[in-house]
Amino acid sequence: MQKVGFFKSIHVKIVLVYILLIILAMEIIGIYFARELEQTLKASFTKSIEERVDLVEFSVREEIIKKRGEEDPTLEQSLRSVLFSIRSEDINEISVIDPNFRILATSETTNQSIVGQRSTDAMVRRSISSETPDNKISLKKGDRIWVLTSPIIDQGEVLGTIYLESNIETVFEQMNQINRILAGGTAMSLAITIILGILIAQTITRPISDMRRQAQAMAKGNFSRKVRVYGNDEIGQLAIAFNHLTNRLQEAQSTTEGERRKLASVLSNMTDGVIATDRKGRIILINDPALRLLRVSRELVLHRPISSVLGIEAEYTFEDLIHMKESINLDFSSPERPYILRANFSVIQKETGFVNGLITVLHDNTEQEKIDMERREFVANVSHELRTPLTTMRSYLEALADGAWQDQELAPSFLNVTQTETERMIRLVNDLLQLSKMDSRSYDLNKEFVEFIKFFNRIIDRFEMSKSQQVHFQRLLPDSQFFVEIDADKLTQVIDNIISNALKYSPDGGNIRFGIIVQEGFLKVMVSDDGMGIPKENVERIFDRFYRVDRARARSMGGSGLGLAIAREMIEAHGGAIWAESEEGHGTTIFFTLPFELDEAGEWD
């Protein structure tokens, strides 16, 4: 998580807001206090001056209306005495002007030259003409002075006016001094306020910072830390609630992690493939079995459309798959081998009906399809194999029933054909029963140790003595003795089927070769003929049930197509393997292997 900048910190913001509020409050108080104090001081100053002016006015009026004798001082001298008597530090100058605007006297000793001169001051003229006092504040030599004019009236007659200049600058100096004292107190209070603000902000931001650090730890998966509770106020209650939330998240995370591990274990150990998509049909999850079934890598399929990955984008859209109720088969077969997958689809849906995605389950259906195909082919082959002799028998029996039994030449022939077809059906049913026992593993092998070379020669001798065609047997057998543990009857049936097939397909004058070699603990047995051979693409299928390369010829020779299938089951039951090698037009060689023990052979020796 990104670190919070200094000026973006809530701690700094709280302190700044606190300080700004204090400054604002103090400024408002200071302004109000300064204004009111200024008004009070000015009012007190002007009132004091006005009171003294009233005394002066009374004295001046008395002097003006006084009747003077020869020994009395002149009016100017009397007025000068009156004005000199009220001089003070806050009164700069006071003058008396008669109605004709002539200055009668002034208190300023250095300015006595203006006595007798006419005043041109507008306030003086206005005061005399309007018979009302007037005042103003003006600048004189850089200082503020308060100018006052007050008319002298006696019985409705204007006797003149008093002109006064007072030094009001002292009032403003007092205000400046008081403001400096107030500013110093404000600065001191502000410093104390800042310190208190920082301490108060810390009490608020400390638990918030703890919760921030806890949130960062929780984001990293650490739920062990707890927020310290500093009090029982709202922030303390928030800290308690945050700790409770941490515990609940830890429990939920543990539960979720457990479920995730269970799901991961289930998905990884499933034999079926599972694919999950988002609401747009893009793959967001795929397990390993699905990757193996589709034969792709995880990087190639993630975030790709599922219909494209499954190779069905031409037939189905994602909306079609959402509404798909039945499973569909995905055919990935190649010319060499079949490969079919079955896909089932399930919608991930909220309670509101909103589709969140799609779950697809893949199952390898190749073997099932192969089994179904083989079952259908098996039923068809059995039906065909049984129908052919039954049809033949019915035809001959119908002919006998129609009177052919009375014909001494035809009747024995017809009965012989019927008996032959019956024996053929019996062989077929016996072979089927034997294969059924092998499939269900409901048979036992009566194994015993047999010297295989002698056992093999005895079977070859039997066929050599009973053969009716000109076929030469060639034995390429070793002189050594090899003892194998086998079921002699079952293995005799295997070798009989192999040699019978070799005789059936060998031409007159052909050769059948028999050989045995030792190979890695196994006896490798070979039976080879000079027959018509088998096409290369059909060699591996001759051990399938009912499979014939040339069906018409094989059926005419009395074969059921089950001999080599039984041989394969028997050899594999003995722990060996059987296979064929052939070239069309140049004969076929059947190989099978049997395990043998050298120690056992040594004991028999």
Side-chain angles (χ1 to χ4, degrees), residues 226-245:
K226 295 293 182 289
V227 177
R228 181 180 175 184
V229 180
Y230 292 92
N232 199 31
D233 55 4
E234 289 84 351
I235 294 180
Q237 293 296 322
L238 177 61
I240 294 172
F242 196 87
N243 288 334
H244 180 66
L245 175 63

Side-chain angles (χ1 to χ4, degrees), residues 579-590:
W579 68 96
E581 293 180 2
S582 180
E583 184 178 353
E584 191 171 6
H586 294 82
T588 302
T589 302
I590 302 295

